[in-house]
Amino acid sequence: MLPVMPIEDLILRSDRLRQEACYDEAEALCRHALVQTAAHGATLYQSAATAFSRGETDFAIRRFRRLRAALPGTSTVHYNIGVCERRKNQHETAVRHLRRALIIDPTANGSLDSLAQSLQELNQVEAALAAALRQCLVRPITPGPLATLGFVAFR
């Protein structure tokens, strides 16, 4: 029997279970929460993140798409769909979603990093370098942007 508790508590508990790699239990809590409210953004996100963590990329994409329908102007949703598509080596689709994420939030560092890497995989070296350089401008102090620039420039 699943616990009766507020959705926020179900989400927090599901997140802890996911971090502990208890994916079946985490997903059961997400499904339980989704029954209570199908459009609850945090529940959809947690369910998608759990699916992604356990390697169920297609299921994660479906959940992130439901989340996109509920919260269309959220850059994180497009970023996560892009990351899922990258995992499937669907770099053209990933690039579309990552660019959408950057239209919504031009400073989304993770989106810039993933965009640069997907563009590199598509042999669009100039565009990949531009994304990597833009990432360096957005987050000049952190080592991540420099690593991405090195990956793109010297691959």
Side-chain angles (χ1 to χ4, degrees):
M1 183 70 157
L2 291 172
V4 175
M5 61 177 65
I7 287 185
E8 291 78 13
D9 293 342
L10 286 170
I11 293 165
L12 289 173
R13 188 168 174 189
S14 173
D15 189 46
R16 275 192 305 267
L17 288 167
R18 181 178 60 86
Q19 291 173 11
E20 296 168 3
C22 299
Y23 302 129
D24 291 336
E25 294 89 345
E27 180 59 25
L29 286 177
C30 289
R31 288 179 190 273
H32 180 61
L34 284 169
V35 167
Q36 294 180 37
T37 173
H40 194 278
T43 304
L44 287 170
Y45 180 85
Q46 187 60 40
S47 177
T50 299
F52 184 82
S53 294
R54 71 187 319 168
E56 297 174 353
T57 307
D58 290 330
F59 184 76
I61 290 172
R62 287 194 301 275
R63 285 286 194 243
F64 281 126
R65 285 184 179 151
R66 281 183 61 188
L67 185 57
R68 181 185 60 195
L71 304 167
T74 307
S75 68
T76 305
V77 174
H78 288 287
Y79 164 75
N80 281 294
I81 294 172
V83 169
C84 288
E85 295 292 356
R86 278 182 45 76
R87 180 185 272 181
K88 294 173 55 180
N89 290 319
Q90 298 296 317
H91 294 288
E92 290 179 8
T93 305
V95 165
R96 279 197 313 275
H97 284 283
L98 295 166
R99 284 185 170 149
R100 285 182 194 143
L102 289 164
I103 288 169
I104 297 166
D105 179 5
T107 65
N109 195 40
S111 296
L112 285 165
D113 178 56
S114 294
L115 176 63
Q117 292 182 35
S118 279
L119 289 167
Q120 177 70 22
E121 292 295 329
L122 293 170
N123 268 344
Q124 296 179 21
V125 178
E126 288 181 21
L129 281 171
L133 286 170
R134 183 172 159 200
Q135 184 185 18
C136 288
L137 294 173
V138 170
R139 303 268 195 262
I141 306 300
T142 59
L146 295 174
T148 301
L149 182 59
F151 168 80
V152 170
F154 299 108
R155 182 163 183 233

